[in-house]
Amino acid sequence: MIIVQEAFSCKNVYEAYLKARRGKRHRVETIKFEINALENVYLIAYQLQKKIYQTKGYEVFKVYEPKERIIMAPPFADRVVQHCLCDNILAPRLTKHFIYDTYACLKGKGTHAGLNRLREFLQRYYRKYGLNGWILKGDIKKFFYSINHEFLKASLYPLLKDDDIYWLTDQIIDSTPNPGLPLGNQSSQWFANFYLSGFDHFVKEKLRVKLYIRYMDDFVLILPTKKEAKQCLITIEQYLWEHLRLETNQKTQIFPIKNGVDFLGFHTYVSGTGKVIRKLRRNSKQRMRRKLKKFKEFYLTGEMSAKDIERSFQSWKGHAQHGNCYRLIETMEGVYDDIFRR
């Protein structure tokens, strides 16, 4: 049992505060919180332990990369609470209920681990069947905006029954209309990932699909026949609607394994010799080209420093290096160098 006083101790809240301020210390609300950091941490810890903490509203705005989405950002104090809740209650309670092959949120997982696991699956399949196989690539329609609060609570709360935090999780889950969870909450990542946990077990244990991998609402199944893939899709769509009120979108497709698959920003495919090749998706290349063009404008006008531009480019380069992208990286480095030529 995780006692509330222990989970929301001053020490844990302070550690959550340090995590919440990472990369955001220049923001006005972070600076205001830091001026009286210890007093604010103590107040949050006291209110959480007494179960009188009240979550605040959201700052709502749109982002357009990689696609248009509505972000609902909580105030700084709520971000501290979210870190504390996720690290000390949700993570220890939920992690053990996930299958091995889900890769969002979890420590030691992530996009690059997911890509490596997909490569392993393709290699394993090729050794047994060659290129005679089919891929079912699934994607959930408006996933975060479709998560049903009552369905989520019904599966989540039995795992939290000893922690006495319903008063807090109810506030967070119901802070937006049902259905839907706000993009911007750290807890939404955990809730959303857990929402499909039962689906993971269904695919692995009921459908007995061994080569299955999921990252949030994107999932891939590798199957020997098109008939089996079609039947799996029918069964999967029935399960998603009946148990979770979710639907797949137009990105959900069945295609030959030799075509490869778009997953986690890369197009991964198997060559005729069995080598697994990973290339950045076209839209990722185009997005970075657009960014570099904007960076040049911002650098010339003084809106961005050379350090900020370098940080962004090195982050993209580090991601691209996980694929077979040597020539692409070389080309982009030339575009990057051009930014600083007067």
Side-chain angles (χ1 to χ4, degrees), residues 12-21 33-34 37 41 76 80:
N12 286 342
V13 174
Y14 184 77
E15 289 176 355
Y17 149 68
L18 295 179
K19 291 180 179 179
R21 74 176 188 179
F33 191 98
E34 285 198 278
V41 165
F76 186 79
V80 173

Side-chain angles (χ1 to χ4, degrees), residues 24-35 40 59 73-79:
K24 300 178 178 67
R25 298 190 70 176
H26 63 287
R27 295 184 179 179
V28 174
E29 64 170 346
T30 309
I31 294 170
K32 288 181 178 179
F33 191 98
E34 285 198 278
I35 292 173
N40 288 327
E59 178 188 356
F76 186 79
D78 281 2
R79 289 202 294 272

Side-chain angles (χ1 to χ4, degrees), residues 9-10 24 42 44 54 58 65 73 95 126 133 139 144 166 170 176 184 187 193 204 215 269 310 318:
S9 66
C10 284
K24 300 178 178 67
Y42 175 81
I44 289 174
Q54 294 292 317
Y58 294 99
E65 295 288 354
T95 298
Y126 180 85
D139 198 317
F144 274 83
Y166 299 159
D170 271 348
T176 54
S187 62
N193 200 21
K204 285 280 194 179
Y215 188 97
Y269 62 96
E310 180 185 11

Side-chain angles (χ1 to χ4, degrees), residues 48-186:
L48 288 172
Q49 291 178 25
K50 296 296 184 180
K51 306 177 193 176
I52 57 174
Y53 185 87
Q54 294 292 317
T55 56
K56 317 303 188 293
Y58 294 99
E59 178 188 356
V60 182
F61 57 93
K62 283 186 178 182
V63 296
Y64 299 92
E65 295 288 354
K67 61 183 178 181
E68 184 176 324
R69 293 179 297 172
I70 298 173
I71 303 297
M72 302 179 69
F76 186 79
D78 281 2
R79 289 202 294 272
V80 173
V81 172
Q82 298 251 345
H83 274 284
C84 200
L85 172 67
C86 293
D87 291 350
N88 297 290
I89 294 180
L90 296 185
R93 280 286 180 258
L94 302 185
T95 298
K96 58 187 176 183
H97 294 278
F98 290 113
I99 64 168
Y100 181 84
D101 288 312
T102 184
Y103 285 83
C105 301
L106 304 174
K107 188 176 181 180
K109 299 294 183 72
T111 57
H112 298 138
L115 286 165
N116 291 337
R117 184 63 163 169
L118 175 62
R119 178 177 60 195
E120 179 188 330
F121 280 176
L122 290 169
Q123 289 171 335
R124 189 191 305 177
Y125 188 91
Y126 180 85
R127 286 194 295 267
K128 190 171 183 180
Y129 300 105
L131 292 177
N132 297 316
W134 294 81
I135 289 177
L136 166 54
K137 170 65 167 56
D139 198 317
I140 306 296
K141 181 180 180 181
K142 297 183 179 179
F143 177 50
F144 274 83
Y145 306 116
S146 301
I147 293 175
N148 184 285
H149 296 187
E150 302 311 316
F151 284 35
L152 172 62
K153 292 175 185 178
S155 57
L156 177 68
Y157 282 8
L159 307 183
L160 304 177
K161 61 183 179 181
D162 295 330
D163 299 318
D164 195 17
I165 59 160
Y166 299 159
W167 64 275
L168 179 59
T169 50
D170 271 348
Q171 280 191 59
I172 294 171
I173 292 172
D174 294 331
S175 62
T176 54
N178 186 23
L181 293 179
L183 286 169
N185 273 355
Q186 185 190 6

Side-chain angles (χ1 to χ4, degrees), residues 248-304:
T248 58
N249 61 23
Q250 71 278 5
K251 295 179 184 178
T252 300
Q253 296 178 335
I254 295 170
F255 41 83
I257 196 171
K258 63 183 179 182
N259 289 9
V261 59
D262 288 342
F263 189 60
L264 300 179
F266 286 86
H267 182 74
T268 304
Y269 62 96
V270 187
S271 70
T273 60
K275 181 179 180 181
V276 176
I277 299 171
R278 189 187 294 157
K279 298 283 189 180
L280 268 180
R281 294 173 60 182
R282 182 181 300 175
N283 59 2
S284 180
K285 302 176 196 177
Q286 293 172 340
R287 190 159 57 244
M288 195 59 205
R289 287 184 186 277
R290 289 196 300 268
K291 274 190 175 182
L292 289 173
K293 186 177 180 180
K294 288 182 180 179
F295 287 167
K296 185 170 185 176
E297 296 173 6
F298 293 158
Y299 179 68
L300 293 174
T301 59
E303 294 179 60
M304 283 188 76

